Amino acid sequence: MLSYILRRLAIAIPTLILVSMFIFTLQKILPGDPAIALAGEERDPAALEFIREKYKLNDPVYEQYLAWAGSALKGDLGISLRTNQPVTELIGQKLPVTIQLAVMAIIIAFIIGIPMGVLSAVKKGTVFDYIANIVALSGLSIPNFWLGIMLILLVSVNLGWLPASGYVSPFIDPLHSLETMLMPAFVLGTALAATLMRHTRSAMLGVLRADYVRTARSKGLGETVVVIKHAFRNALLPIVTMTALLFGELLAGAVLTEQIFTIPGFGKLIVDAVFTRDYAVVQGVVLCTAVGYLVINLVADIVYFLLNPRMRSVL
């Protein structure tokens, strides 16, 4: 297993280097000047030149990249032009918020999507199967921002059950934190549940037609045992891969939901940084997201390795 992990790391490291180069280069070709954004309305030439010299904006692009990459390897992602805070400090403040939202959304997606996918495959062609597919397509079709606004109007404004916006750390008040994050997690989780339901159903349909499932049934095993122990366990392999992709997508793609519910996570941080041309923050957030994707995929590969005996026999 160690050799398998080392091989995956050997692929991840060059990928991360290429991603860092892409992030830095793409940021530089965006329109706008961070020095002008930082100087404000009164753009005194001396102040602009001082800012450019201080943040090495006049250096060649390759020198800026090498300096940034070298500092990033040491854990220094630079200083925010807007707040004058270290980027690592800003990420340390915002990342736990987005991780909490992503974990809650994934849990909701599991609770809804996987049981529906399993039952839809087992009851293929029945009324439940058609209803589950309609619900899944609805979840994929409804925009997150529209669902979020409707939930705020119904649950918060009309019924007064949950707060409409804001965030409280679970270390300060766990119950209030759960209340503030429940609606945005549900908004994200329903879309993920629809995707998980479709993939679970497809995986289960393929497994239920396998020879070993027919053999298990011929031995007189109960349908529940056949479905859960034999079919679902083997159908988990593509579900693990899809879950890893969805979790990585949540870390990077919850921008609209965080804006609607005023959650101070990664989404709000990167939106504010883009508008103010805060290069260091944008680069740091995107790089951190890329590292998160690679780590999540590595974990998924390890879980896949543990679940699939054929991979262990080959290695």
Side-chain angles (χ1 to χ4, degrees), residues 134-296:
I134 291 172
V135 171
L137 289 174
S138 300
L140 291 171
S141 304
I142 296 174
N144 286 347
F145 68 87
W146 182 86
L147 181 59
I149 293 170
M150 292 300 102
L151 282 178
I152 289 173
L153 288 175
L154 176 63
V155 178
S156 300
V157 177
N158 293 335
L159 300 177
W161 289 350
L162 294 172
S165 62
Y167 173 74
V168 176
S169 171
F171 299 104
I172 297 175
D173 189 340
L175 180 60
H176 192 41
S177 176
L178 181 64
E179 290 175 346
T180 57
M181 295 292 272
L182 192 57
M183 274 201 300
F186 181 79
V187 168
L188 292 172
T190 49
L192 301 183
T195 303
L196 275 177
M197 180 269 169
R198 298 289 296 175
H199 280 80
T200 303
R201 180 181 183 275
S202 178
M204 285 292 296
L205 286 175
V207 171
L208 287 172
R209 291 192 291 265
D211 292 338
Y212 60 86
V213 172
R214 285 196 293 269
T215 302
R217 283 173 173 157
S218 67
K219 289 180 178 180
L221 296 177
E223 187 66 15
T224 303
V225 175
V226 171
V227 171
I228 300 300
K229 185 177 180 180
H230 295 277
F232 181 64
R233 181 178 178 181
N234 289 279
L236 273 176
L237 299 178
I239 296 172
V240 168
T241 303
M242 179 53 58
T243 302
L245 294 175
L246 292 175
F247 191 81
E249 181 182 324
L250 281 175
L251 292 180
V255 176
L256 280 176
T257 303
E258 289 185 0
Q259 290 287 346
I260 290 170
F261 290 96
T262 322
I263 298 173
F266 252 25
K268 192 173 189 310
L269 178 62
I270 196 168
V271 167
D272 292 342
V274 169
F275 277 123
T276 57
R277 300 296 186 270
D278 198 343
Y279 285 175
V281 173
V282 174
Q283 291 163 356
V285 170
V286 177
L287 181 64
C288 185
T289 303
V291 171
Y293 256 109
L294 292 174
V295 171
I296 291 168

Side-chain angles (χ1 to χ4, degrees), residues 49 52-53 55-60 64:
E49 186 61 27
R52 291 192 178 101
E53 288 295 330
Y55 294 103
K56 300 180 180 181
L57 299 176
N58 290 328
D59 292 350
Q64 294 183 45

Side-chain angles (χ1 to χ4, degrees), residues 5 45 84 92 121 123 131 152 204 231 261 308 313:
I5 295 174
N84 205 34
K123 300 180 179 297
I131 293 174
I152 289 173
M204 285 292 296
F261 290 96
N308 192 347
S313 63

